[in-house]
Amino acid sequence: MRLRRPSRRALAATAVVVAIVVVTAIGLAQGGGDGAVRRPDRVPSVADARQQVRGAPAALRRLYADGDALLRVNGDEFVALVRRLRGHPVVINKWASWCGPCRTEFPILRRAAADHGSRVAFVGLNSGDEPADARRFLRREPTLYPHVRDPDEQIASALEANVTYPSTIFLDAKGDIVQVKQGVYTSLADFERDLRRYAGARPAPGANGGLQSVGRPSR
């Protein structure tokens, strides 16, 4: 029995269906189940977070002076921004307002930035998003730290994080990538484990499992 060769139209339709299935599977895998994300017991306001990092080095104070602004910079300007943070570990969180896991993870980043932002630089990377939607979301989840617009994921690609939402990139004090976490953090404890490993944070003595950063801040 001779098999008929499928038409180009049939092949194209099959390819579309496969692509949809793959994208859906990736989204489900990235999400890890929004209900599994544990919100921290305390998420500080921006005012409280600023109070917690009031003793930060000058470079970090300048970074946080922009608050949760959505900055439009090109690749060279982003490199310059990171270069100004040399001497400090940097955490870059890639997110989008349409990404459910990103939204549920945000309180973890807000709490961690307040707790550790005096030693570790935090930066948001808003990728593949509409500015109006991103700003609307930031009004609901305001952060201590600013966010860089990355509509075409060019910066995310340079950071080896252009596939998964959310992604969290850890840079060492020299500005080198040391870890790219693909997917959502499900708890503050999970995030702080990576802070300890990749950003020089350790348990604070007698602090009920909380973390503090180590090393003298550079000024």
Side-chain angles (χ1 to χ4, degrees):
M1 183 177 181
R2 187 175 181 179
L3 298 176
R4 292 183 59 188
R5 187 174 185 175
S7 66
R8 291 183 179 179
R9 179 176 298 179
L11 288 172
T14 300
V16 169
V17 171
V18 170
I20 291 172
V21 170
V22 169
V23 169
T24 302
I26 290 173
L28 290 173
Q30 291 175 8
D34 287 359
V37 177
R38 296 189 292 279
R39 185 181 178 92
D41 56 2
R42 181 181 64 83
V43 180
S45 66
V46 172
D48 288 341
R50 286 185 185 280
Q51 182 69 12
Q52 285 184 241
V53 302
R54 65 188 182 280
L60 301 187
R61 293 200 306 272
R62 285 193 294 269
L63 174 68
Y64 302 142
D66 287 324
D68 57 2
L70 193 60
L71 309 175
R72 181 163 190 155
V73 302
N74 60 33
D76 290 340
E77 291 167 335
F78 181 79
V79 170
L81 183 154
V82 173
R83 187 175 292 125
R84 290 194 294 271
L85 299 171
R86 289 281 174 86
H88 308 282
V90 181
V91 173
I92 302 170
N93 179 251
K94 187 189 92 167
W95 64 280
S97 63
W98 47 261
C99 164
C102 303
R103 294 196 300 269
T104 57
E105 181 185 63
F106 238 69
I108 294 172
L109 274 295
R110 290 177 58 196
R111 168 69 182 273
D115 289 349
H116 310 292
S118 61
R119 301 289 182 123
V120 179
F122 284 76
V123 179
L125 185 65
N126 180 240
S127 296
D129 207 356
E130 293 294 331
D133 294 337
R135 292 189 181 97
R136 190 176 302 114
F137 174 72
L138 287 172
R139 284 197 292 271
R140 295 197 301 270
E141 291 281 0
T143 60
L144 168 71
Y145 53 90
H147 304 265
V148 171
R149 283 190 59 198
D150 184 32
D152 300 321
E153 293 196 87
Q154 293 181 353
I155 296 173
S157 180
L159 293 170
E160 305 172 12
N162 61 322
V163 177
T164 306
Y165 287 79
S167 290
T168 305
I169 304 99
F170 293 82
L171 309 182
D172 64 17
K174 296 181 293 185
D176 296 328
I177 297 172
V178 293
Q179 171 69 357
V180 179
K181 156 72 174 179
Q182 305 280 354
V184 65
Y185 281 103
T186 58
S187 70
L188 181 63
D190 288 342
F191 182 74
E192 288 190 323
R193 272 194 291 271
D194 278 356
L195 273 180
R196 179 171 63 247
R197 184 172 182 181
Y198 302 113
R202 63 177 175 80
N208 296 322
L211 297 180
Q212 65 181 6
S213 301
V214 298
R216 175 178 294 178
S218 59
R219 295 184 182 270

